[in-house]
Amino acid sequence: MIHVAIISHGHEDLLISTRLGGLLGQHDDIHLWLKDNLPSAKLKDYCHQHGVSYTDASAGLGFGANNNFLFRQIQNSVGFRTDDIFVVMNPDISITPDTLRQLVEEMQRDQFPLATLNLFKDANHLRTDANIRLFPDFLSPLRMAVVRSLTQAYDKEKITAPFHADWASGAFLAFDARHYEALQGFDDRYFMYFEDVDLCYRSYLMLGKGVRYYPQLQAIHFAAHKNRSLLSPHANWFIRSFLKFLSRKYFVYPRRTSGAR
């Protein structure tokens, strides 16, 4: 079974218009789990009408804590079977069920427990989303001054075959459920930002390789990035989370001698 976790923060209109990212329907192998962080009666009714597992419990949690909540809910209600997959998916992702199934087939064939696919910012697949990146380091602030990004994206146009990237955006990550459990999920001490970097880094330390990226499998990420001006709360969360990750990478987590490629 493929269990897909979606967190809504006032995304009810988007989720309803896209039929939950294209995954709504009668699928024996795909089950949707939705946590409503800003409870909406309209979204609740829609989910109940279409067999989507809906909860608005514990509203206001951070990104990682919300996904951990849904993972535990699945564990406690139906349980995970061998080879079940747990997918973390943003509400602004659009993907076909067949693409999701193919991703799971590929990662299970390759016997790798963490994977992502090729995200684009538009329906015509013309504008790529930089969803796979290198781990940040102490030189990252210098990069910020030049290219306005603390993390360096891979050049996806040069990647034509499956590849292990350092980390992939939490907008879409597929886990073997046993691997997610072994990692103890996201560290919910990150309220927002870099919790996906941290989780991928812990996975890399465990496996010796990063996230398995499948460039031939494509989906859409209609991302609306929040304002990160120095006065915005998002900037504060972003900077604090970045410093938290760096301190853990260099002073808490064990070191590896080889890169994740």
Side-chain angles (χ1 to χ4, degrees):
M1 179 68 71
I2 305 170
H3 298 279
V4 181
I6 303 174
I7 314 299
S8 175
H9 299 269
H11 293 94
E12 58 268 22
D13 291 336
L14 174 63
L15 286 164
I16 291 171
S17 67
T18 63
R19 293 179 57 81
L20 273 72
L23 295 178
L24 199 66
Q26 298 298 320
H27 307 298
D28 293 335
D29 58 340
I30 300 173
H31 191 86
L32 304 180
W33 301 78
L34 191 140
K35 186 175 185 299
D36 201 349
N37 226 28
L38 296 174
S40 161
K42 179 169 68 172
L43 183 57
K44 182 177 183 178
D45 289 344
Y46 185 81
C47 289
H48 287 167
Q49 290 171 15
H50 295 280
V52 176
S53 295
Y54 173 96
T55 181
D56 56 10
S58 299
L61 298 178
F63 176 86
N66 275 312
N67 283 289
N68 290 343
F69 182 99
L70 282 181
F71 185 85
R72 289 191 297 270
Q73 185 180 65
I74 299 168
Q75 252 182 343
N76 295 333
S77 58
V78 299
F80 288 105
R81 297 174 297 179
T82 301
D83 295 332
D84 274 3
I85 299 296
F86 179 67
V87 176
V88 172
M89 188 174 101
N90 269 19
D92 54 2
I93 294 287
S94 180
I95 186 172
T96 68
D98 285 344
T99 298
L100 179 57
R101 292 186 183 104
Q102 189 175 351
L103 174 67
V104 171
E105 289 174 6
E106 295 278 354
M107 63 188 289
Q108 291 182 336
R109 182 200 64 194
D110 292 341
Q111 297 184 326
F112 203 77
L114 174 55
T116 194
L117 38 64
N118 195 355
L119 296 181
F120 288 83
K121 296 180 179 179
D122 65 301
N124 295 319
H125 294 182
L126 298 176
R127 295 185 296 122
T128 189
D129 185 307
N131 65 304
I132 55 169
R133 292 175 172 269
L134 293 160
F135 290 125
D137 54 33
F138 280 127
L139 297 179
S140 295
L142 298 178
R143 186 180 303 113
M144 183 73 173
V146 178
V147 297
R148 302 194 59 168
S149 176
L150 277 172
T151 55
Q152 180 181 350
Y154 289 94
D155 186 348
K156 290 164 72 173
E157 291 187 0
K158 295 180 179 178
I159 303 172
T160 58
F163 167 83
H164 285 101
D166 278 5
W167 68 276
S169 165
F172 189 97
L173 288 169
F175 299 83
D176 182 297
R178 294 168 299 179
H179 186 57
Y180 190 90
E181 183 176 17
L183 292 167
Q184 299 182 326
F186 288 99
D187 186 336
D188 56 18
R189 288 173 291 184
Y190 293 87
F191 180 76
M192 189 178 294
Y193 304 118
F194 285 91
E195 59 275 273
D196 46 4
V197 187
D198 184 278
L199 182 61
C200 291
Y201 190 73
R202 286 185 282 119
S203 179
Y204 153 68
L205 290 175
M206 183 182 294
L207 301 172
K209 292 182 179 179
V211 181
R212 187 77 168 161
Y213 166 67
Y214 294 95
Q216 76 278 16
L217 302 178
Q218 302 177 350
I220 306 168
H221 184 202
F222 296 111
H225 297 292
K226 299 295 185 180
N227 178 17
R228 291 184 189 161
S229 70
L230 292 178
L231 299 179
S232 76
H234 285 272
N236 182 42
W237 292 329
F238 186 81
I239 293 169
R240 290 176 63 185
S241 294
F242 168 70
L243 294 175
K244 183 181 295 184
F245 172 72
L246 277 194
S247 67
R248 292 180 179 182
K249 177 183 177 183
Y250 287 105
F251 304 114
V252 177
Y253 296 142
R255 301 295 299 276
R256 292 191 67 95
T257 58
S258 60
R261 295 293 181 272

